[in-house]
Amino acid sequence: MEHSKEFLSITDDAKSRVCEITVDQAIERMEHGAQLIDVREDHEWADGHAAGAVHIGRGVIERDIVRTIPDKSAELILYCGGGYRSSLAADNLQKMGYTNVFSLAGGWKAWKESLAPTETG
């Protein structure tokens, strides 16, 4: 998907404050308790997602995160299709007081390309 310069501008701004990690780093962190969160749309989640991830869509994550994961020091790794929406969401979670938030570089595309485990449904 080709993104507008305006969208890229706000995601670049968010990425300047968010730590991105690789798929391998995400898997290692998950083995030590990090929670992987898929922020894509419902239909994207249903088509397939990273094994072990929970779904909290980008449109509702700021509303639902405190109820779902109240521990603001919990290690959270967010991903979307390519790493843009997850950076925006991670930036907002940090503004909400979450202190251990990461964005998956390359998102779902990178996850699939690495042959990391996936699920459907």
Side-chain angles (χ1 to χ4, degrees):
M1 168 180 279
E2 188 173 327
H3 299 300
S4 71
K5 66 180 181 181
E6 294 85 355
F7 178 71
L8 293 174
S9 176
I10 64 169
T11 56
D12 286 346
D13 180 56
K15 285 182 178 190
S16 74
R17 292 181 295 277
V18 171
C19 183
E20 289 187 301
I21 61 172
T22 66
V23 171
D24 289 340
Q25 290 170 321
I27 291 170
E28 182 179 336
R29 289 171 182 264
M30 289 170 64
E31 290 171 356
H32 294 94
Q35 178 64 64
L36 187 63
I37 300 174
D38 186 321
V39 300
R40 298 176 302 149
E41 300 291 326
D42 292 348
H43 67 91
E44 293 174 290
W45 166 263
D47 287 344
H49 51 271
V54 297
H55 183 239
I56 310 174
R58 171 76 184 96
V60 297
I61 193 165
E62 293 88 353
R63 181 193 72 193
D64 294 350
I65 191 68
V66 174
R67 182 177 54 242
T68 306
I69 304 173
D71 178 3
K72 291 189 176 181
S73 66
E75 187 169 6
L76 308 176
I77 304 165
L78 280 52
Y79 79 93
C80 60
Y84 297 96
R85 293 173 287 173
S86 59
S87 293
L88 293 170
D91 190 35
N92 278 339
L93 294 189
Q94 289 177 156
K95 290 175 184 175
M96 294 174 67
Y98 285 84
T99 59
N100 206 7
V101 182
F102 301 90
S103 178
L104 183 68
W108 174 238
K109 180 180 178 189
W111 188 272
K112 289 190 308 182
E113 288 174 354
S114 75
L115 303 178
T118 63
E119 303 171 336
T120 57

